[in-house]
Amino acid sequence: MRFLLIFIRTYWLACTAVILAAITALSLWTPETLPPVPGGDKIHHLIAYALLIFPVALRRPKGWQFIVVMFIGYSGLIELIQPFVNRYGEWLDLAANTTGLFCGVLIAEAMRQWEIVKD
């Protein structure tokens, strides 16, 4: 696990870009029917955005708090665009996304405190 965390911390920007691209594609993709997946929709939003911010929070580049705010804004923008691509924009999704961002930051901070990942 330590190797994976070191990899994420080293290549945090690439990891974040890949996750952001996946979230964007999945958020704006308009399938005929949504595939059945276990768990609730809001849980998926929370997990996706926790994964999105985790590499940033683990690395903590200069101005990382601004990145968190930008991701909250990006999440809101996605919710505004979704009705134009045959999806439903929900403000509760924005709340779940924001909660996920804060959870991702807390998890990364806990790993720092427990010295799983050292500075």
Side-chain angles (χ1 to χ4, degrees):
M1 182 165 137
R2 187 176 293 272
F3 172 76
L4 179 62
L5 292 173
I6 291 169
F7 178 86
I8 292 169
R9 191 158 186 242
T10 303
Y11 299 105
W12 69 275
L13 189 56
C15 292
T16 303
V18 167
I19 296 167
L20 184 62
I23 288 173
T24 303
L26 292 171
S27 296
L28 299 177
W29 177 44
T30 54
E32 293 294 321
T33 60
L34 292 175
V37 288
D41 172 57
K42 304 308 178 249
I43 295 296
H44 299 142
H45 284 266
L46 188 142
I47 292 169
Y49 279 80
L51 288 173
L52 175 63
I53 200 61
F54 183 77
V56 175
L58 199 60
R59 177 72 168 100
R60 285 201 311 202
K62 189 174 184 177
W64 68 272
Q65 297 95 339
F66 180 71
I67 296 172
V68 173
V69 173
M70 293 301 296
F71 284 157
I72 293 170
Y74 185 79
S75 171
L77 183 64
I78 289 289
E79 294 305 318
L80 290 172
I81 292 171
Q82 280 183 331
F84 296 103
V85 294
N86 263 352
R87 299 287 301 261
Y88 296 103
E90 294 182 45
W91 293 113
L92 286 178
D93 288 350
L94 176 61
N97 298 343
T98 302
T99 302
L101 290 169
F102 288 114
C103 288
V105 169
L106 289 174
I107 292 168
E109 187 58 32
M111 289 186 164
R112 290 173 157 295
Q113 293 298 318
W114 294 332
E115 295 184 356
I116 295 172
V117 176
K118 297 185 183 216
D119 285 328

